[in-house]
Amino acid sequence: MKSNKITVSQIAKTTGLSPATISRVMNHPELVKQETLESVQTAMLNLGYDFQKATVLPVQKKKIIILNVPDTENIFYDEIIKGAKTSAHAHGCHILVNECPIESGTIKEFCDLIKCIDVAGVILLNQVETTLLEQIHAIAPLIQCCEYNKSSNYPYVSIDDIDAAEKATNHLLSCGRNKIAFVNGPLSFKYAIERREGFLSAMNTADTFVPKNWMIQLPKVNYDMAYAAISRILNEETIPNAFFMSSDIFAMALVRAAHHFHLKVPKDIMVVGFDDISFSSIISPTLTTIAQPSFQLGYSACEMLIEIILNPSSTPKSLLLGTNLIIRESTSIQAP
Amino acid sequence: MKSNKITVSQIAKTTGLSPATISRVMNHPELVKQETLESVQTAMLNLGYDFQKATVLPVQKKKIIILNVPDTENIFYDEIIKGAKTSAHAHGCHILVNECPIESGTIKEFCDLIKCIDVAGVILLNQVETTLLEQIHAIAPLIQCCEYNKSSNYPYVSIDDIDAAEKATNHLLSCGRNKIAFVNGPLSFKYAIERREGFLSAMNTADTFVPKNWMIQLPKVNYDMAYAAISRILNEETIPNAFFMSSDIFAMALVRAAHHFHLKVPKDIMVVGFDDISFSSIISPTLTTIAQPSFQLGYSACEMLIEIILNPSSTPKSLLLGTNLIIRESTSIQAP
């Protein structure tokens, strides 16, 4: 019996190729090697795929997916958008990016927007209160991506921020650093709460004390605010010999502020960032950081949404993807 | 006689405030100083503004504006999007960002999209062929922003790239550098053709020769490609003592490649970038660059579009905005 209910991730698992490659094979078979094409097609046939049917949405169906982000300024979102676009395109849908927070003051505007466009579904990268999630869900199916509301039951794809922050902190401790400061974003976000928890847990386990004024809480992910806060710390007599940052933007501010105080990174101060934005491997020194699977986050969020759009009674299982510690010059003991 | 046909730019001109401030006064009067509010209100009354009428589009009108960009990866677009959003919001419209090139292979998909959403108008940041512009225009009003098709008659807002490139090159010459290389993006873009023209014009005027292999033409604005191309130049016996780059991304690649070749910026090699992306003032050394009025480009493009939406027979005059040379450490003679 032939079925079209197999997923890209099943094909990826069978072939050992990445979901992105599978998607490229499906969208642009002319761009991939003949052997890749054949391996995917064989796997799809074996999984029972019927090439006569298309997985794209029927013509009369709604085709617009709104991807709502807190801020297009944060380049961390770029790869997420790309991942979502790749999935959407494979199903004949369009991704349109809408930038605004979703809170009591903006919910009406957002709901008007998605009603007016008659969207197929919504991917939310904001932290949204349960009652507001319900208002959105009454209009269109939704998936939460990266940020998610723990007290709601709507599906999400995200990462384990506690584990990631522990990995980052343990790396600094294993480099022999014991005076570690932490710069974080607003605690209204799930990521900020969990990264703080992971940092403190690793420091506690290592029985290492963190002075209160070395735990910086900023109101947004902003380079200038971070630079100012870090400068105050570096201006004291006793300064940290390492920083864990909940964003690469903060790590970049540390590199620059250290330069101003004639301190060398990593010799005097090591730093680990978060996100692995493209600039992390571009600046000098290059940044050790936690790489999020950004493309996969966007891709999976959209795949899960499409699953609900095609079958409104389905409830895709929420998913936490793995992160990687990428060690670069900012924590390298041999580096200049 | 009272009229609502005055524009934000008229109010800006009358008050001496920036269009962004005017827009903030209109959207968030609670956030501005009392004297600013009063000065704007007085100017509006003097210009004949009727506070009883609103400038927002009537409820039944279409309200979605699609802002089409070649690539959300290029963070240069962030401020443009912000500018367009500020204007759109003041008129009760929504900006949705769509990322795709517009060419013969994608035009059908793009036209389907804007038909399906029934958009109020389109802001194009792509270079689009005349026949394709006509197909879009048959569906919705359009404005070209940054890139524009010189052989079409559709309105645009952009900058004078020739003049900007001349300024950048003359700055390097005035710093005593005479061996200047140039790294550029694809010549399918208007900006690349004009920056090349400005660079060569300044070099010719200074009677300074440019070897062919110091004129690099890359197929896209990409850090890795630039790094590879620059490394080949720096690996030769005779190397440049300055680079003019048509993007800050290329300038960042130069800083990193110079580091690899144990060359100091600015002592051994000076560099001027283009765009003034936020990272230009973050990296060490900070980058001298040409600042584009990105917010204003997006804001003006949307204002011109709204003008056509409100009055379909109007033909807003195309506009070239000024650029500024921002001198930072990468060309500073005193810098380390």
Side-chain angles (χ1 to χ4, degrees), chain A residues 111-251:
Chain A
C111 287
D112 284 351
L113 171 72
I114 60 177
K115 255 188 233 159
C116 147
I117 299 181
D118 197 15
V119 297
V122 176
I123 300 171
L124 299 169
L125 274 82
N126 271 296
Q127 178 65 240
V128 182
E129 277 175 35
T130 307
T131 54
L132 307 186
L133 284 174
E134 282 161 5
Q135 290 183 51
I136 296 167
H137 187 250
I139 303 168
L142 66 87
I143 290 286
Q144 303 172 91
C145 182
C146 299
E147 284 297 313
Y148 61 95
N149 180 328
K150 289 195 166 185
S151 53
S152 84
N153 285 322
Y154 297 105
Y156 59 80
V157 52
S158 186
I159 60 161
D160 183 341
D161 281 291
I162 300 176
D163 172 73
E166 280 176 348
K167 266 192 296 208
T169 313
N170 285 332
H171 170 61
L172 289 169
L173 290 163
S174 74
C175 290
R177 302 296 160 117
N178 53 3
K179 300 195 286 179
I180 309 179
F182 175 50
V183 182
N184 200 9
L187 288 178
S188 52
F189 287 95
K190 166 253 176 199
Y191 83 81
I193 297 170
E194 292 200 345
R195 290 179 200 172
R196 187 172 182 274
E197 193 176 331
F199 170 70
L200 288 174
S201 149
M203 294 297 274
N204 279 338
T205 306
D207 211 10
T208 309
F209 174 72
V210 190
K212 254 196 180 159
N213 59 334
W214 288 6
M215 296 276 295
I216 302 291
Q217 206 66 58
L218 296 175
K220 64 186 277 194
V221 177
N222 175 280
Y223 173 86
D224 292 304
M225 290 177 189
Y227 187 93
I230 294 162
S231 295
R232 288 196 60 200
I233 295 183
L234 299 184
N235 201 35
E236 294 294 323
E237 274 190 27
T238 308
I239 62 167
N241 54 19
F243 277 80
F244 169 47
M245 305 301 206
S246 75
S247 160
D248 286 340
I249 302 293
F250 298 158

Side-chain angles (χ1 to χ4, degrees), chain A residues 15-59:
Chain A
T15 56
L17 298 166
S18 71
T21 305
I22 308 295
S23 182
R24 197 160 57 244
V25 172
M26 289 171 153
N27 294 315
H28 298 286
E30 74 286 3
L31 296 179
V32 297
K33 283 190 208 150
Q34 186 59 28
E35 59 189 270
T36 311
L37 184 61
E38 282 168 12
S39 123
V40 169
Q41 285 176 342
T42 307
M44 290 170 79
L45 281 170
N46 289 342
L47 285 163
Y49 188 83
D50 181 355
F51 279 96
Q52 300 305 310
K53 291 189 193 170
T55 53
V56 297
L57 299 191
V59 175

Side-chain angles (χ1 to χ4, degrees), chain A residues 61-78:
Chain A
K61 271 256 185 187
K62 304 166 180 182
K63 289 194 168 181
I64 311 292
I65 293 170
I66 293 286
L67 191 145
N68 165 263
V69 295
D71 194 348
T72 50
E73 230 183 318
N74 191 339
I75 63 166
F76 161 63
Y77 297 124
D78 290 342

Side-chain angles (χ1 to χ4, degrees), chain B residues 167-207:
Chain B
K167 267 194 294 212
T169 312
N170 285 332
H171 171 61
L172 289 169
L173 290 163
S174 75
C175 291
R177 302 295 160 119
N178 53 5
K179 300 195 287 178
I180 310 179
F182 175 50
V183 181
N184 199 10
L187 289 178
S188 52
F189 286 95
K190 166 253 177 199
Y191 83 81
I193 296 170
E194 291 198 346
R195 290 177 200 172
R196 186 172 182 273
E197 192 176 332
F199 170 71
L200 288 175
S201 148
M203 293 298 273
N204 278 339
T205 305
D207 211 8

